[in-house]
Amino acid sequence: LARITRAEEGLSGGTNLPTATAGTEPGMVLGTLGYMSPEQVRGKPADARSDIFSFGAILYEMLAGQRAFKGDSAADTMSAILKEDPPDISVTNANVPPGLERIVRHCLEKSPEQRFHSAHDLAFDLEALSGLSGASATRIEPSTLKARSRFRSGTVGIAVAAALAAGLFAGRLLWKASPYSPPSFHRLTYGRGPIASARFAPDGQTVVYAAAWDGAQKTRLYSVRMESPESLRLTLPEGRVESISGTGEMLLLNILNFSTGYARTGMLSQSPLSGSAPRDLLEDVGDADWSPDGSMAVVRAPGWRYRLEYPIGKVLYETTGWISRPRVSPKGDLVAFFDHPVFGDDRGSVAIVDRAGKKTTLSTGWESEQGLAWSTSGEEVWFTATQAGSARALYAVTLSGRQRPLLRTPSGMILQDIARDGRVLFIQANERLGFIGVVSGETKERDLSGLEWSYGPRLSDDGKTSVFTEQGDTGGPGYSVYLRKLDGSAPVRLGEGQALALSPDGKWVLAFQLRSTPPSIVLLAAGAGEPRPFPKDSIDHSSNWGAFLPDGKSIVFNGKQPGRPARVFLQDLQGGAARAVSPEGVIARLLSPDGKSLVVGTPEKGFSITPLEGGPGRPIAGIEPGDRPLGWTADGRFLFVGPVAREFPARIFRIETATGRRELWKELTPADPAGLTLLQPSAISADGTTVLFNFGRGLSELYVAAGLK
């Protein structure tokens, strides 16, 4: 109780924080030292997110038995709040669940934008952690929200702390519940495989969807009626449905080009619901949507430079990251979309842009976001996202940024569409990402993944050890780097980040950390040892490639300087600034075994071999469109390549770079192809005997939910 009383003194009171009243001056710091947010310490405006920080400091103290921020003097305490992260709670309390510790860390983010945006969001995650959420997920009625809004956010923090002190994690004890009617669910599909997209037809009773059922390699289009469990295959080419207009015209997208992660583009076409042959409209399209007046909003990425156009030809927004899920508002005056800062990664924010090109970010800090639509009133954007892991929940955010949770399901949702009567169409997704491999001396492939969402494995030179990134619930908000020996040993977590390369001596792993601004690189010890961060600079290191030079004293990596295209940099591990070694727009894929050359790629010219220290490059003969370089033989004579696209069987080819001679080296046919959304070569040892293949598997169902408000 003494702690709670002390906490009440430190809470800012949200929007009721005084700024210039009798006895205070503008910019005066208000609050109890040790529980104040960084913005309060700086004397900047505070809001409900400052209360979230204060609550996080209290909860940390309750769980760890010591203050999160404490110094020998007031100045030291303020400095700790601004610059230091508190020690892990598990150091003093090993019984704290990792999920609860992640919630506390999220409360204590230095930047307000990275914290929970409201006590509602915080309560939602606490409730999920407590196990009180069921498959039907409690729906919050507007009357409940109005009652909750009467509480000052500081009081909410105290109520949560008191509930936790009593041993209850659940956020439902924060406020007295109002009567509600639970939402109802209607299942539409019964096939085995992944569903790519789905939309309501104008009648609201027909749904058109794209799926790859029962091991099919290609995504086909189907229609299903609400009153029937049977789907009808449409006589249209492969692709996915992007949008259906009020007059029954469909926008279809056939994916043709693949890059990193979720970044992919294709041919946009148009076809009526009657199913006549589609008419091609635009190339290099990532997503598209009809507007009420019959024009279109499209995401286009020629040369993988993403831009949002509305109408076609008028650029409203461009980014060096990527853009997805554009949806035009019911009035046609705004476009909502996902803004992803890291190319190919589905983390990011929810944003809107008007016809004049003014962009507004409504919600940020999401680790994974997929699925977006406007509410029927046009006053909210509904979306499915998660702040950790892959189990996305349904949220709503107003145009002023006020956010509320709507629905959570056990395995995660992907919102597809909202009908005129408010019914919600969504994919219930059961997904996994990992990698399988054929290890030297073995004839049968094994699953060599880590936990649940293992990505981007890299091999040691001898092919006996892999390092990879874990991006699922267990990976945490900033992902985790794991090391695994391929002799059957269990994976070992090395630290936060995304794996790029293993050093020649096997002692260090090069990784980049997404949660720094801009994303920075770090060396993680493969055995005993502390991480070795690099001096802070302005380079964004999230371009997802890096390598050690053969002597282990330097590294090369792809990076981006502010407002500039990506290029290759060279960094001495003993210190000093990184220096550019390639022209802008030229990025590396591989380093030669002798460390003197790079395999580089450009959007226009494909791949070539270029000297590391500059000079003319030479095109690689024998490489084909859609190939991705995987590795070199130890003598540098041959290059291993594999296709970027999903392909059964997955193949690896060996190319003699001097002559362009190409030969099939390895191929893998999956034993169970059902639900495979990805199968592609990922890494190969220098002798070609150990091969790793990324795989993704998704088994999905399509549902309609009624009664969500």
Side-chain angles (χ1 to χ4, degrees):
L1 290 176
R3 286 175 180 162
I4 294 173
T5 302
R6 187 165 66 243
E8 185 175 11
E9 298 171 357
L11 290 171
S12 70
T15 56
N16 295 321
L17 179 72
T19 55
T21 61
T24 67
E25 297 293 337
M28 178 176 289
V29 177
L30 301 177
T32 301
L33 202 59
Y35 302 93
M36 296 163 56
S37 64
E39 57 267 27
Q40 286 179 281
V41 170
R42 293 189 173 99
K44 293 184 176 181
D47 56 22
R49 295 171 296 182
S50 296
D51 297 342
I52 297 295
F53 187 95
S54 300
F55 166 63
I58 299 163
L59 183 54
Y60 179 95
E61 186 173 345
M62 295 174 69
L63 296 171
Q66 62 186 29
R67 284 195 180 189
F69 307 102
K70 186 177 181 181
D72 295 333
S73 65
D76 290 340
T77 301
M78 296 171 77
S79 177
I81 291 171
L82 294 173
K83 299 179 181 179
E84 299 175 10
D85 292 325
D88 292 341
I89 298 174
S90 57
V91 173
T92 57
N93 187 350
N95 295 322
V96 174
L100 181 56
E101 184 163 2
R102 283 198 295 270
I103 289 175
V104 176
R105 290 286 181 189
H106 196 41
C107 291
L108 295 177
E109 292 284 359
K110 303 298 184 187
S111 170
E113 288 76 17
Q114 299 301 318
R115 297 177 211 141
F116 293 102
H117 282 212
S118 70
H120 304 98
D121 294 348
L122 173 57
F124 196 13
D125 276 26
L126 287 169
E127 185 180 33
L129 182 65
S130 73
L132 291 176
S133 293
S136 62
T138 300
R139 176 170 58 93
I140 301 175
E141 292 288 349
S143 58
T144 306
L145 295 173
K146 291 177 182 177
R148 294 176 178 179
S149 67
R150 291 196 292 267
F151 286 79
R152 290 174 57 196
S153 54
T155 306
V156 171
I158 297 168
V160 176
L164 287 170
L168 297 173
F169 291 117
R172 68 176 61 185
L173 295 183
L174 293 174
W175 303 279
K176 183 179 294 184
S178 298
Y180 70 92
S181 299
S184 62
F185 299 91
H186 177 65
R187 184 172 174 178
L188 294 177
T189 60
Y190 296 87
R192 186 167 181 264
I195 300 172
S197 63
R199 297 292 186 269
F200 281 112
D203 63 4
Q205 300 303 309
T206 303
V207 170
V208 177
Y209 69 92
W213 291 136
D214 303 321
Q217 296 187 37
K218 297 180 179 180
T219 299
R220 300 296 188 185
L221 289 162
Y222 300 83
S223 69
V224 62
R225 295 279 300 174
M226 296 293 295
E227 69 272 12
S228 173
E230 298 178 358
S231 294
L232 174 67
R233 166 101 176 261
L234 301 181
T235 56
L236 289 167
E238 66 174 295
R240 68 187 195 195
V241 56
E242 292 287 300
S243 182
I244 304 178
S245 71
T247 59
E249 289 292 320
M250 297 189 295
L251 290 179
L252 308 175
L253 186 65
N254 181 20
I255 300 297
L256 299 173
N257 307 305
F258 298 81
S259 186
T260 302
Y262 293 96
R264 49 194 64 185
T265 62
M267 173 67 75
L268 183 69
S269 60
Q270 179 179 344
S271 175
L273 272 171
S274 60
S276 61
R279 177 172 63 91
D280 290 345
L281 299 177
L282 288 171
E283 295 180 325
D284 299 319
V285 173
D287 292 281
D289 189 39
W290 287 112
S291 71
D293 64 5
S295 60
M296 300 178 206
V298 297
V299 171
R300 301 186 71 184
W304 299 110
R305 178 81 178 191
Y306 274 78
R307 64 186 189 231
L308 174 60
E309 300 179 7
Y310 176 57
I312 293 173
K314 182 179 181 181
V315 178
L316 299 183
Y317 178 65
E318 290 186 89
T319 178
T320 56
W322 68 294
I323 303 165
S324 68
R325 304 300 190 270
R327 301 301 293 269
V328 182
S329 65
K331 295 181 180 179
D333 57 338
L334 299 169
V335 181
F337 62 97
F338 288 137
D339 191 12
H340 308 283
V342 179
F343 187 83
D345 194 319
D346 66 343
R347 67 173 50 230
S349 58
V350 181
I352 56 174
V353 62
D354 64 19
R355 285 179 173 267
K358 180 183 177 183
K359 177 202 166 196
T360 303
T361 298
L362 303 182
S363 179
T364 190
W366 300 103
E367 181 175 309
S368 173
E369 50 183 15
Q370 294 186 32
L372 180 149
W374 286 89
S375 66
T376 54
S377 67
E379 296 176 354
E380 290 182 315
V381 176
W382 290 22
F383 63 98
T384 40
T386 179
Q387 292 170 328
S390 57
R392 306 170 199 91
L394 179 62
Y395 294 87
V397 62
T398 67
L399 302 188
S400 61
R402 184 179 179 184
Q403 186 173 292
R404 61 191 179 98
L406 291 168
L407 178 65
R408 184 187 295 273
T409 61
S411 61
M413 310 168 60
I414 304 177
L415 174 63
Q416 297 299 299
D417 204 359
I418 299 177
R420 293 175 182 175
D421 60 5
R423 287 172 301 131
V424 172
L425 179 65
F426 69 93
I427 296 170
Q428 178 77 6
N430 187 354
E431 301 170 312
R432 184 172 181 237
L433 192 67
F435 53 94
I436 53 180
V438 179
V439 179
S440 179
E442 301 179 6
T443 58
K444 188 176 181 180
E445 70 270 10
R446 290 191 279 131
D447 190 330
L448 299 171
S449 311
L451 301 171
E452 53 157 341
W453 204 261
S454 306
Y455 174 76
R458 268 67 169 174
L459 278 171
S460 60
D461 290 341
D462 60 9
K464 295 181 179 180
T465 304
S466 70
V467 292
F468 60 91
T469 305
E470 187 66 35
Q471 297 185 347
D473 290 315
T474 52
Y479 305 156
S480 294
V481 175
Y482 277 81
L483 180 144
R484 182 170 192 170
K485 295 184 181 298
L486 302 186
D487 58 3
S489 303
V492 177
R493 185 180 186 275
L494 304 183
E496 180 179 321
Q498 188 157 333
L500 296 178
L502 186 63
S503 65
D505 60 8
K507 294 182 178 180
W508 297 97
V509 176
L510 177 65
F512 75 86
Q513 297 187 325
L514 285 162
R515 293 204 294 171
S516 62
T517 305
S520 59
I521 49 176
V522 64
L523 293 180
L524 300 175
E530 295 296 318
R532 290 173 52 187
F534 287 77
K536 191 75 173 177
D537 58 28
S538 63
I539 300 174
D540 180 342
H541 297 80
S542 63
S543 295
N544 206 29
W545 181 84
F548 288 87
L549 266 65
D551 61 7
K553 296 180 180 179
S554 302
I555 59 171
V556 286
F557 59 87
N558 295 330
K560 293 183 290 187
Q561 293 171 313
R564 312 290 289 273
R567 64 197 306 184
V568 185
F569 292 85
L570 176 68
Q571 173 83 58
D572 191 323
L573 296 184
Q574 301 304 313
R579 61 184 178 88
V581 293
S582 81
E584 291 184 347
V586 175
I587 58 175
R589 300 297 185 185
L590 287 176
L591 179 68
S592 63
D594 61 9
K596 296 180 180 180
S597 301
L598 295 168
V599 175
V600 300
T602 63
E604 301 83 12
K605 299 180 181 179
F607 295 103
S608 63
I609 299 174
T610 303
L612 176 63
E613 293 294 346
R618 60 182 177 89
I620 302 174
I623 202 164
E624 297 179 356
D627 280 345
R628 182 168 67 97
L630 299 173
W632 289 94
T633 56
D635 58 10
R637 287 184 56 203
F638 296 92
L639 183 68
F640 294 110
V641 301
V644 174
R646 182 184 75 161
E647 184 178 279
F648 300 155
R651 295 183 174 91
I652 294 178
F653 295 87
R654 192 176 75 162
I655 296 173
E656 187 174 33
T657 59
T659 64
R661 180 168 59 89
R662 181 186 179 100
E663 60 180 344
L664 178 65
W665 183 254
K666 297 280 185 182
E667 70 176 15
L668 176 70
T669 301
D672 179 13
L676 282 179
T677 57
L678 172 72
L679 184 66
Q680 61 180 195
S682 180
I684 187 168
S685 59
D687 61 6
T689 59
T690 297
V691 185
L692 301 181
F693 295 82
N694 276 329
F695 75 86
R697 191 183 296 276
L699 301 175
S700 309
E701 299 93 33
L702 196 59
Y703 281 87
V704 171
L708 290 170
K709 297 180 181 178

